[in-house]
Amino acid sequence: LAELALRSAFENFMMQTSLQGLAGLQVSRLIFGEFSDSKRLQDFERGFLNGLCQVQMEEFVFIYFGKFKDDTDTLFNCIGNVSTIRLVGLGLQQMAQVPVWSKVKHLECKKCHFDEVPAKKLSLFKELRVLRITKNKGLKNFEEEFEGLSNLEVMDLSENRLTFSRCCSTQFQDCSNLKHLNLSFNSNIRLTGDFTNVKNLLYLDLQHTTLFGPGS
């Protein structure tokens, strides 16, 4: 299949079992989840996506799901070998543990519940080319550093509420191939003039973000 859409396709108690019935499927894009106006969004439970371990797919879209709580670390167990992962509207407060064999090249986290940029865990996605973390209303802090993402070319952190005082070399250790950095529509960012770790940067977007100089 080119695409299989399974939004609001199962009764809540049948979702996990139904995914096991997809074993052997080959699909370019698999869309799974609910709609934002669903009366009761299913909470994520440990091993919920185990049925996808026997599915071959290039892109996985997980959209509108409830709370994750302590079961976050099993999120990528069966989708870490997917090229593109889009997480949209999830009650995800912390980034899940990343498998050491991850092959993810494109990762998007949109309208999730982060309050700080989970750079440390995201740095374990060593094959990442594109990373987008956007429209997270509670995302304010950027204290952790991205390290060793030598393949990363596009970083989009737009439409959050980020406030941080060092931009931009410190946040991107050994991200030498970064070419596009979007920090638009955030709160307050202090520019330090240090871009040593992103010396190949071609596009920097700071629209609608309040900027301060080094001595401010």
Side-chain angles (χ1 to χ4, degrees), residues 9-28:
F10 310 112
E11 294 292 337
N12 286 342
F13 64 91
M14 287 294 294
M15 280 187 183
Q16 190 168 2
T17 302
S18 298
L19 286 180
Q20 296 173 3
L22 300 180
L25 175 68
Q26 296 182 33
V27 58
S28 294

Side-chain angles (χ1 to χ4, degrees), residues 79-214:
I79 60 174
N81 62 342
V82 177
S83 179
T84 298
I85 296 177
R86 297 183 62 231
L87 308 175
V88 182
L90 303 186
L92 187 64
Q93 296 177 320
Q94 298 182 4
M95 180 53 60
Q97 189 64 41
V98 179
V100 294
W101 40 263
S102 169
K103 298 180 181 178
V104 178
K105 294 180 174 62
H106 185 138
L107 177 63
E108 178 179 357
C109 303
K110 180 179 179 180
K111 295 183 179 179
C112 293
H113 289 183
F114 299 134
D115 56 12
E116 61 180 306
V117 179
K120 188 174 182 179
K121 281 189 175 178
L122 288 171
S123 293
L124 297 176
F125 285 105
K126 295 303 182 184
E127 299 295 323
L128 266 185
R129 268 69 168 173
V130 177
L131 175 60
R132 302 186 189 278
I133 304 176
T134 62
K135 297 187 177 182
N136 294 267
K137 293 182 178 180
L139 184 56
K140 300 178 180 179
N141 301 317
F142 192 175
E143 299 294 333
E144 296 183 356
E145 300 172 353
F146 289 98
E147 296 183 357
L149 292 178
S150 59
N151 295 311
L152 187 67
E153 296 184 0
V154 177
M155 170 79 72
D156 185 353
L157 295 171
S158 63
E159 298 186 72
N160 299 302
R161 295 183 178 177
L162 289 175
T163 296
F164 57 98
S165 59
R166 297 170 298 168
C167 181
C168 288
S169 189
T170 303
Q171 283 81 10
F172 305 103
Q173 300 291 329
D174 301 319
C175 299
S176 56
N177 282 319
L178 187 64
K179 296 179 176 64
H180 301 254
L181 177 58
N182 189 346
L183 295 170
S184 64
F185 293 91
N186 278 290
S187 294
N188 302 301
I189 296 177
R190 178 174 282 109
L191 291 174
T192 63
D194 180 8
F195 289 84
T196 304
N197 292 322
V198 288
K199 57 185 178 182
N200 289 318
L201 194 66
L202 298 176
Y203 302 95
L204 175 61
D205 192 344
L206 295 165
Q207 299 179 82
H208 292 278
T209 296
T210 301
L211 302 178
F212 299 92

